[in-house]
Amino acid sequence: MQKAMQKAIVNSTIISNGQFIRNKGVIIENGYIVDILDQNEISRNIETIDLQGVFLSPGFIDLQVMGAGGAFLGSFPSGKTLETMEKELLRQGTTGFLPTIATNSPEVMEQAIEAAVNYRSQAMGNFLGLHLEGPYINPSNKGAHPEKLIKKASVPEVSRLLEMARGEIKMMTIAPELQDEAVIQYLLEHSVALSMGHSGASYEEALQFLTGLRKTVTHLFNGMPPLHHRNPGLIPAVFSEKPYTSIVVDGIHVAYPMVRMAKEILGESLFLITDAATPATEGLYRHTFKNDRYVTVDLNGNETLSGSILTMLKAVQNCVEHVGISLPEAVNMATLYPARVIGRECKKGLVKKGYEAHLVAFDHDYQIKQVIYKGTPVFS
């Protein structure tokens, strides 16, 4: 007799761990995948979810997203913002994300941390913690970050932030060439995923940072000096050491031929982020939608690229259609590889027995058909 809590997801092509898996059914119970069976082995008495031939992949994991659904953390650092982001991103198939707050005033940064701590008890759960993108970056590579708020880190300051955050700071983007080694070691010892970004590190400085414990690199090619044949800088160091490296695949932040080159070199180390924004009319970042991107405009009318309009599924589609990456590998870049970055690969990022039943179904036109979160369909 089948347990009452079990359901079977049938009639799909499963995409997991770089493979297509056909003619299998996924058995879920109490929010977990408890088995994957041949469809003809599944009891007729079990409740089924018929996906009618579409793809079924692990839920997407976005480690850098600034806003969604009209809620922007840098303008309104509150539990309500996190709630809106959770709901909207889950609708998009993103079952795990790090809301990202870029360089901001100390008050706003602390409000975001406080909001994360207070919201945790009521969170749906796809909110995985915070990504602080700054303020400890290089002003020479600031992008849209306000230069007046960029600064050097100190152990007392980061210690206070981590204590305040109670484990909610999962990732930090820093310019390592401007930080004391004591700060870097302190953050590593406290399980913060350190990512090199908005950095002007030399080739040698980048190599020094990337040795030892596995580090990460934030939005490859953006917020860093371009490749130069006489001054290699950090990009060749990334290609040499192959750390986990995020990239924004919208064709705007990075041209598709450059994505293709990076993928050929970095392989499984390259993963997808959206770096998505949402319209914002308050706070430091006044994100304005323009054509196919978000920009900020300074007092002189100068525009700076400040965010994408990507979803994770659109990034997967772009990898397949414009870069030539296979669909199973593109799905890995949106699921398994980011799960590895934050140390969640034992429970997230695969359609596999024992893993969390966070799944997304989409068709051949890359349209979401169903999201299953904690074993429960999100759409009615």
Side-chain angles (χ1 to χ4, degrees), residues 26-42:
V26 180
I27 312 301
I28 55 178
E29 180 182 351
N30 294 328
Y32 283 85
I33 299 170
V34 296
D35 215 340
I36 297 177
L37 302 173
D38 289 337
Q39 289 196 156
N40 58 14
E41 295 178 357
I42 298 172

Side-chain angles (χ1 to χ4, degrees), residues 208-224:
Q208 181 178 1
F209 174 73
L210 294 172
T211 56
L213 294 174
R214 191 85 187 230
K215 314 289 196 325
T216 308
V217 175
T218 294
H219 48 48
L220 184 64
F221 300 119
N222 297 116
M224 58 187 67

Side-chain angles (χ1 to χ4, degrees), residues 270-348:
L270 193 69
F271 68 95
L272 298 174
I273 55 170
T274 64
D275 200 16
T278 195
T281 58
E282 297 186 36
L284 286 174
Y285 297 90
R286 308 294 177 95
H287 293 291
T288 301
F289 177 69
K290 184 173 183 180
N291 299 324
D292 50 8
R293 68 201 74 183
Y294 284 100
V295 300
T296 57
V297 183
D298 66 19
L299 295 176
N300 297 317
N302 299 312
E303 294 182 356
T304 301
L305 180 64
S306 62
S308 85
I309 61 170
L310 279 177
T311 65
M312 289 297 281
L313 183 54
K314 183 62 177 177
V316 168
Q317 180 181 3
N318 288 342
C319 283
V320 175
E321 295 184 350
H322 298 292
V323 185
I325 298 171
S326 71
L327 177 55
E329 177 59 17
V331 166
N332 272 353
M333 294 170 69
T335 59
L336 179 59
Y337 303 157
R340 289 174 177 171
V341 171
I342 56 172
R344 301 288 188 93
E345 70 273 23
C346 292
K347 291 296 180 183
K348 298 180 185 293

